[in-house]
Amino acid sequence: MFLISNKEIESMAYPFRKIEKKWQKFWDENKTFKTEDTIDSKKPKFYVLDMFPYPSGAGLHVGHPEGYTATDIIARYKRMKGFNVLHPMGWDAFGLPAEQYAIETGTHPKVTTEKNIERFREQLKSLGFSYDWDREVNTTDPKYYKWTQWIFLQLYKRGLAYISEVPVNWCPALGTVLANEEIINGRSERGGYPVYRRPLRQWMLKITAYADRLLEDLEELDWPESTKEMQRNWIGRSEGAEVEFPVVGLDEKIAVFTTRPDTLFGATYMVLAPEHPLVEKVTTAEYRDQVESYRQEASKKSDLERTELQKDKSGVFTGGYAVNPVNNEKIPIWVADYVLISYGTGAIMAVPGHDQRDYEFARKYNLPIREVISGGDISKEAFEGDGIVVNSSNNEFSINGLPVPEAKKKITKWLEEKGIGKGKVNYKLRDWLFSRQRYWGEPFPILFGEDGEILPVPEEDLPVELPPMEDFKPRPSKEDEEPQPPLSRAPDEWKYVEINGKIYRRELNTMPQWAGSCWYYLRYIDPHNDEKLVDPQKEKYWMPVDLYVGGAEHSVLHLLYARFWHKVLYDAGVVSTKEPFRKLIHQGIILGETEYTLYLDGKNQPVSADLVTNNGTHKETGEHLNTRKLSEDEIQKEGDYFVLKENPEIKIDARAFKMSKSRGNVINPDQIVKGFGADSLRLYEMFMGPLKDMKSWSMKGVEGVHRFLNRVWRLLIDDETDTLHPMLTDDEPTSDQLRVLHQTIKKVTSDIEELQFNTAIAQMMIFINEAYKWSSRPKSVMEKFILLLHPFAPHICEELWQRLGHNQSLTFEPWPQYNEEFLKEDTVEIVLQINGRVRATMEVPIELSKNREELQEKALRTEAVKKRLEGKTIRKVIVVPGKLVNIVAQ
RNA sequence: GCCGAGGUGGUGGAACUGGCAGACACAAGGGACUUAAAAUCCCUUGAUCCUUUUGGAUCGUGCGGGUUCAAGUCCCGCCCUCGGCACCA
């Protein structure tokens, strides 16, 4: 066995460790990337922003540098293009992730947060990102959250922040309430704990007041269509009517919202949500017990259970009746949890003939089903499509014979005239639940008097600092107890404030994680301003953000909240743009290496993958199967599947998985930087595939780009002497050399503009492959190439630039321009097709390739073509100048 | 179920407004250098078939149709994967 040591591998590679340290130190000491505070308004600006990270205890993972490298390439490129570039970084350090980590490790969040930030900063610096570190922000810094609190006060002043006792999503395991957006399938997004509904007094932000503007202004944004669509769905605007149904025997009316007022005559019963306040009044003595127990039952269910059981609708009759105002029909009132208290009015008119949910319910409980729109077959299913209205008239009014859209208009107008209803717009979007029963968040700048008076903390007293507390942990509370936030255990000096002889108590809840990240992009513009959130002159110059890169998981939460706050600040005159982020890109997630998995049964016999369910059990026997990872030489491809080499009957599962600790497929960037260098990591992350796509990691791929950088190095540096390579010359470049160079300039430039970094790198590889064939390496050509490579692999380029005799960083060197003259080739290859199939090619001088007649003639004179055309009649000849000649013959 | 994105060699991926499918890289195979290995350099590499060779033929971008001189790209119908939403009245 011949083993080689790491030392030896190192000696073969270019000295990336030395180089990267050297230039990181240089950039740091010289503040190379500092964006001047005084604005040079003669220069065009470019604001390129990353979604700032939660400094988690796990440190950076390979997903972070993906987006960060992309933005760094843009930042470095734009600087060379003469732009004034703002490229900052900071920390989203409040909130659940940081706090959970603190709880798990039993250390105070302030301590862990500081430590984690330290580590993140070091890791980011080790990757050579060109951030202006003088603008670093930290959401947990009182100087920062002073302004988060200030924004809250603006919201409060405008009536956009209010306290309300509403049913909230209570997560006992986390000891806090959560926003709707933080719940996935009835479980907390963080940790996956069950969530229950319970009423609590909470701060709410009136995002619904901005629903229309949030929807409309999406139009002008250069964002992924899928993200815009998600926000549209989340806002969920629907037009319809609100109609009032009087309750029989009571002086009460039940208001319902419907998008189908045209089906009013088909309403045969009503349903109230279990939480609806009128349930008690409507319920008759006879039905009280069952209604009560149904409500009890429903309230105990978590959201998860309520949605999981959705297939089987349940409900109970209240004994009460309402009157359908269009036909004075007496219809029964039911309670069912398929009606949600939080949408519309919490009550519906049920039209089983034309709504599938009502249909199922009516079928189950034998309620009448009536057709009022023709076109379907309501004996089989509800007809929800457009049709012609039938059976819909009373003595003074009819919509019979009208198509659905017209019927809607007509009946809405009539309802308004009669005062029994009106046109209405409803949103799925609900007000933003803004309180958390947690320690690690911004305190609210709010005081309560003994009489319940709400007193905002005066602006000059901001920030309200978080009190230092040893015991910061949330207390999971019992279901029936009022939750006690950690701040309730704060010292009395903090909790109570005396103003004009009156004692006030501070708000004890804290703000949610999203508060600090809603506006951080503004603070970067003017990070040290103690007088203002941001100086208006600077804001006007830098906003909006020109490019924002971050994960698609923030499509709704962060990006919707930030837009909301931005619009409020716009109305308050703090910012000058309606929208914060002009262009948005989501980087795709990076999966672990592809794994080939073989399934084995209890007797250790292999089981073909098509017999295995998603949960890893046998489809036929239900047996839980073991797995074994296979190496690539144990498998082969057969048709669409991978199979076992030694037994091709057995199909193999070939998949890449999300990186996770438990799976053990997590790639740590530090380890890549150590083994191959930051430049290799950056280059590989960009070379993997299109930025937006999901892709899986490959160590071999990293080695590949590392080899490329080695080739770049050795093209310029003689390994033996560690000096400039003897083949470097001051010769005039040849036209061939200029052509490849200028093709590369052109391709790399346009690819960077379009964020297609993988193909830009491919072109640079082509250049290097070509350059190795040359007998001399003109310095002027090599220097241009180094400038092109620089945004991708800055360390190696700075070093080579310096060794080529420059004593300034290349950061502000002008970006190379390509010259169309050099791209021209003397001849062009023209493809000759016969009946659409390529049969030959011919070289023609460039000027001739534009001439249709000559091309056609020359093509027909070509031997190979003549041979093929023997005995055939030419029907047609298609000539595409500069490309091809296609001869159609029979 | 609904909405969005996507399916191209052994792998990751290229292909401008329809004009030589598979750039670039990885893997694999062969060769050079070396006592040997590593590193490096050169060559081959979609599949099947024909030919002694140079070379040639046929098929091939999820599946089935269509438009066109020409389709990965356009149109119609379907299948699958990923992401999101999901009693929203």
Side-chain angles (χ1 to χ4, degrees):
Chain A
M1 273 298 192
F2 296 92
L3 293 173
I4 47 147
S5 68
N6 276 340
K7 266 251 140 45
E8 279 175 88
I9 291 183
E10 261 172 57
S11 69
M12 287 152 199
Y14 75 99
F16 59 86
R17 264 167 241 182
K18 232 172 78 195
I19 292 173
E20 294 186 352
K21 278 228 180 63
K22 169 181 163 184
W23 287 101
Q24 281 159 17
K25 196 166 158 243
F26 176 92
W27 296 327
D28 233 12
E29 285 171 356
N30 291 282
K31 300 205 177 210
T32 308
F33 310 117
K34 186 173 173 57
T35 305
E36 287 308 323
D37 207 37
T38 46
I39 291 162
D40 175 6
S41 50
K42 284 190 293 286
K43 269 181 159 185
K45 67 98 185 179
F46 201 85
Y47 186 176
V48 50
L49 180 67
D50 295 300
M51 287 189 187
F52 64 166
Y54 315 119
S56 75
L60 223 56
H61 59 82
V62 289
H64 286 117
E66 193 192 4
Y68 298 167
T69 303
T71 53
D72 199 57
I73 290 168
I74 298 292
R76 287 176 180 270
Y77 165 74
K78 289 283 180 186
R79 281 189 201 104
M80 294 172 85
K81 279 285 218 180
F83 283 79
N84 205 1
V85 171
L86 183 60
H87 186 41
M89 181 44 77
W91 318 107
D92 187 15
F94 264 140
L96 277 174
E99 191 173 11
Q100 281 302 102
Y101 179 76
I103 291 165
E104 279 160 27
T105 57
T107 326
H108 196 278
K110 196 174 157 66
V111 177
T112 57
T113 299
E114 267 168 28
K115 218 177 84 204
N116 293 347
I117 286 176
E118 203 61 43
R119 168 130 186 253
F120 262 72
R121 192 190 298 113
E122 225 159 82
Q123 285 184 306
L124 290 177
K125 285 192 177 181
S126 80
L127 292 170
F129 296 131
S130 61
Y131 296 120
D132 176 359
W133 286 104
D134 288 350
R135 290 175 185 258
E136 184 178 341
V137 301
N138 175 349
T139 54
T140 67
D141 180 350
K143 283 187 173 154
Y144 178 91
Y145 68 66
K146 167 181 176 179
W147 297 104
T148 310
Q149 291 171 337
W150 182 84
I151 296 170
F152 180 84
L153 291 180
Q154 310 314 306
L155 285 155
Y156 182 76
K157 272 190 213 156
R158 294 172 171 265
L160 296 167
Y162 62 96
I163 293 183
S164 168
E165 168 126 9
V166 289
V168 297
N169 308 298
W170 172 247
C171 179
L174 291 173
T176 185
V177 299
L178 296 170
N180 295 316
E181 299 86 327
E182 291 171 304
I183 294 157
I184 300 193
N185 290 334
R187 288 178 179 273
S188 65
E189 191 190 19
R190 289 261 155 202
Y193 304 109
V195 173
Y196 298 85
R197 292 214 158 261
R198 65 174 293 171
L200 267 185
R201 270 172 62 83
Q202 300 289 317
W203 281 100
M204 306 287 288
L205 297 187
K206 210 182 243 168
I207 189 170
T208 51
Y210 283 72
D212 267 327
R213 285 165 66 186
L214 289 167
L215 191 65
E216 280 163 23
D217 292 346
L218 280 173
E219 298 300 325
E220 64 195 60
L221 298 177
D222 184 3
W223 284 22
E225 195 47 48
S226 58
T227 301
K228 291 209 252 182
E229 197 57 26
M230 257 187 247
Q231 294 214 348
R232 280 187 204 113
N233 290 341
W234 194 266
I235 294 165
R237 183 181 199 273
S238 53
E239 281 178 32
E242 195 167 286
V243 186
E244 293 190 322
F245 285 60
V247 179
V248 174
L250 288 173
D251 187 22
E252 293 284 356
K253 282 177 179 157
I254 299 173
V256 300
F257 173 72
T258 176
T259 54
R260 296 293 305 270
D262 55 305
T263 62
L264 248 172
F265 287 88
T268 53
Y269 64 102
M270 297 192 80
V271 186
L272 303 180
E275 299 89 349
H276 198 284
L278 281 177
V279 172
E280 290 206 20
K281 287 189 179 169
V282 167
T283 303
T284 58
E286 193 187 341
Y287 292 92
R288 190 154 300 274
D289 286 354
Q290 2 174 341
V291 169
E292 252 332 289
S293 69
Y294 184 83
R295 291 180 86 184
Q296 281 287 322
E297 207 60 27
S299 74
K300 263 192 239 149
K301 282 186 204 169
S302 67
D303 270 21
L304 177 65
E305 289 164 312
R306 256 170 101 153
T307 42
E308 266 185 357
L309 295 171
Q310 79 183 51
K311 273 167 203 120
D312 192 28
K313 294 190 178 21
S314 68
V316 289
F317 181 44
T318 60
Y321 290 87
V323 176
N324 185 340
V326 294
N327 55 12
N328 287 323
E329 219 168 61
K330 208 173 108 179
I331 57 175
I333 303 169
W334 285 63
V335 176
D337 65 3
Y338 82 90
V339 173
L340 308 174
I341 187 66
S342 46
Y343 184 77
T345 61
I348 60 158
M349 63 170 199
V351 185
H354 306 283
D355 182 290
Q356 193 54 32
R357 293 155 303 181
D358 297 343
Y359 188 86
E360 283 162 29
F361 193 81
R363 269 288 156 93
K364 181 167 175 186
Y365 293 106
N366 268 323
L367 292 156
I369 299 170
R370 183 182 304 156
E371 180 176 65
V372 289
I373 310 286
S374 64
D377 178 3
I378 63 159
S379 66
K380 291 205 186 74
E381 58 181 4
F383 174 63
E384 296 182 340
D386 273 10
I388 301 297
V389 178
V390 294
N391 302 327
S392 297
S393 63
N394 58 32
N395 332 344
E396 50 178 303
F397 172 78
S398 168
I399 48 173
N400 284 333
L402 292 176
V404 167
E406 270 120 85
K408 278 184 184 172
K409 268 183 224 149
K410 188 171 175 190
I411 195 165
T412 305
K413 199 166 158 239
W414 182 77
L415 290 168
E416 275 172 16
E417 280 163 14
K418 299 292 281 182
I420 48 179
K422 55 179 190 294
K424 194 167 178 195
V425 174
N426 232 311
Y427 300 92
K428 264 178 10 186
L429 182 71
R430 288 164 223 161
D431 279 346
W432 176 11
L433 176 62
F434 200 66
S435 309
R436 297 293 181 276
Q437 291 69 46
R438 286 294 198 136
Y439 170 73
W440 198 232
E442 298 87 349
F444 283 85
I446 290 290
L447 299 165
F448 296 102
E450 278 173 343
D451 49 0
E453 174 203 356
I454 298 175
L455 184 70
V457 173
E459 286 179 18
E460 57 272 20
D461 290 348
L462 295 180
V464 177
E465 291 201 35
L466 204 52
M469 282 172 66
E470 282 305 307
D471 177 15
F472 56 86
K473 292 188 184 100
R475 301 252 165 97
S477 69
K478 298 222 180 66
E479 223 178 287
D480 44 354
E481 284 172 9
E482 188 73 6
Q484 293 299 312
L487 286 181
S488 65
R489 304 191 296 270
D492 284 353
E493 309 89 85
W494 186 85
K495 273 201 296 191
Y496 299 101
V497 183
E498 194 184 321
I499 297 172
N500 300 333
K502 265 176 85 179
I503 302 288
Y504 290 86
R505 179 180 61 79
R506 288 195 191 278
E507 166 66 59
L508 300 174
N509 291 308
T510 52
M511 297 188 201
Q513 168 157 29
W514 312 104
S517 62
C518 268
W519 69 281
Y520 73 110
Y521 56 91
L522 292 171
R523 193 59 179 170
Y524 284 137
I525 292 170
D526 198 8
H528 308 295
N529 193 335
D530 287 330
E531 305 299 314
K532 282 193 162 140
L533 186 156
V534 57
D535 177 84
Q537 289 301 312
K538 294 178 185 165
E539 187 278 335
K540 236 190 178 115
Y541 177 73
W542 285 112
M543 285 301 286
V545 173
D546 296 284
L547 177 66
Y548 194 25
V549 177
E553 66 273 22
H554 296 112
S555 294
V556 178
L557 292 149
H558 161 63
L559 288 168
L560 191 66
Y561 294 155
R563 292 181 61 220
F564 164 46
W565 278 33
H566 193 87
K567 286 184 184 307
V568 175
L569 292 173
Y570 177 77
D571 290 348
V574 178
V575 299
S576 60
T577 63
K578 286 202 293 190
E579 287 285 336
F581 315 119
R582 198 177 55 76
K583 184 180 170 85
L584 171 74
I585 301 281
H586 299 304
Q587 80 275 20
I589 64 165
I590 298 179
L591 306 173
E593 299 237 7
T594 305
E595 294 174 24
Y596 302 97
T597 313
L598 172 68
Y599 291 95
L600 297 164
D601 65 13
K603 292 178 207 120
N604 235 17
Q605 291 302 306
V607 177
S608 189
D610 46 3
L611 294 174
V612 182
T613 65
N614 289 339
N615 323 320
T617 56
H618 198 291
K619 258 184 196 161
E620 282 152 18
T621 64
E623 178 188 5
H624 186 81
L625 298 166
N626 293 319
T627 58
R628 185 160 74 82
K629 275 187 207 167
L630 299 176
S631 67
E632 265 178 74
D633 44 340
E634 290 175 282
I635 54 166
Q636 61 187 29
K637 185 117 180 197
E638 196 130 313
D640 290 340
Y641 301 92
F642 281 98
V643 297
L644 205 54
K645 232 181 208 167
E646 52 185 36
N647 182 358
E649 298 289 294
I650 303 298
K651 285 175 187 161
I652 301 300
D653 207 22
R655 270 178 62 194
F657 296 89
K658 242 183 175 159
M659 289 189 191
S660 71
K661 258 191 222 151
S662 57
R663 193 168 273 281
N665 60 350
V666 177
I667 306 286
N668 181 341
D670 293 346
Q671 149 203 346
I672 308 297
V673 170
K674 212 173 148 229
F676 302 95
D679 285 336
S680 293
L681 175 64
R682 294 170 58 117
L683 208 56
Y684 175 62
E685 296 230 4
M686 295 300 101
F687 188 58
M688 287 173 90
L691 182 62
K692 295 173 220 170
D693 290 7
M694 183 191 283
K695 37 211 172 261
S696 64
W697 188 266
S698 154
M699 254 336 157
K700 290 288 183 192
V702 183
E703 287 171 28
V705 295
H706 184 63
R707 262 201 288 273
F708 164 68
L709 289 180
N710 271 318
R711 280 165 67 76
V712 173
W713 180 262
R714 287 199 313 268
L715 201 63
L716 291 149
I717 304 296
D718 184 4
D719 255 351
E720 300 288 304
T721 62
D722 195 35
T723 55
L724 286 183
H725 200 284
M727 281 171 84
L728 283 176
T729 64
D730 293 318
D731 294 354
E732 277 297 307
T734 66
S735 63
D736 278 350
Q737 290 171 334
L738 283 175
R739 183 172 325 108
V740 186
L741 174 68
H742 283 259
Q743 275 167 354
T744 305
I745 297 173
K746 187 179 181 184
K747 179 84 177 136
V748 171
T749 307
S750 64
D751 279 352
I752 291 180
E753 294 280 355
E754 285 155 47
L755 304 168
Q756 285 163 358
F757 304 115
N758 53 333
T759 48
I761 295 166
Q763 179 61 41
M764 290 190 280
M765 287 173 167
I766 291 171
F767 174 89
I768 288 297
N769 291 346
E770 286 298 313
Y772 263 95
K773 295 176 193 160
W774 299 340
S775 52
S776 89
R777 301 166 184 171
K779 270 189 201 161
S780 62
V781 173
M782 293 305 149
E783 287 189 343
K784 291 257 166 54
F785 175 79
I786 293 302
L787 293 174
L788 293 180
L789 179 61
H790 153 252
F792 298 80
H795 308 88
I796 189 175
C797 290
E798 286 272 25
E799 180 68 20
L800 290 172
W801 187 251
Q802 191 183 53
R803 291 198 185 204
L804 282 164
H806 301 276
N807 49 21
Q808 295 262 314
S809 159
L810 47 58
T811 302
F812 298 103
E813 285 298 315
W815 185 254
Q817 298 281 316
Y818 73 89
N819 186 339
E820 206 64 61
E821 279 303 303
F822 298 135
L823 294 178
K824 281 191 188 143
E825 312 225 17
D826 302 336
T827 60
V828 187
E829 197 183 51
I830 299 291
V831 172
L832 302 181
Q833 296 182 331
I834 291 168
N835 294 332
R837 297 182 159 233
V838 183
R839 294 304 179 184
T841 58
M842 61 181 187
E843 286 288 324
V844 278
I846 186 93
E847 59 281 3
L848 203 140
S849 78
K850 304 248 161 69
N851 187 315
R852 283 168 187 275
E853 286 76 31
E854 288 200 50
L855 273 182
Q856 172 165 347
E857 216 173 289
K858 197 165 158 53
L860 290 170
R861 279 204 312 268
T862 308
E863 272 314 309
V865 172
K866 272 207 254 177
K867 227 164 99 189
R868 296 249 170 205
L869 289 175
E870 265 169 42
K872 289 183 176 167
T873 336
I874 297 172
R875 298 274 150 124
K876 199 172 172 185
V877 179
I878 290 118
V879 181
V880 182
K883 285 243 166 78
L884 59 78
V885 178
N886 187 11
I887 300 153
V888 186
Q890 253 174 350

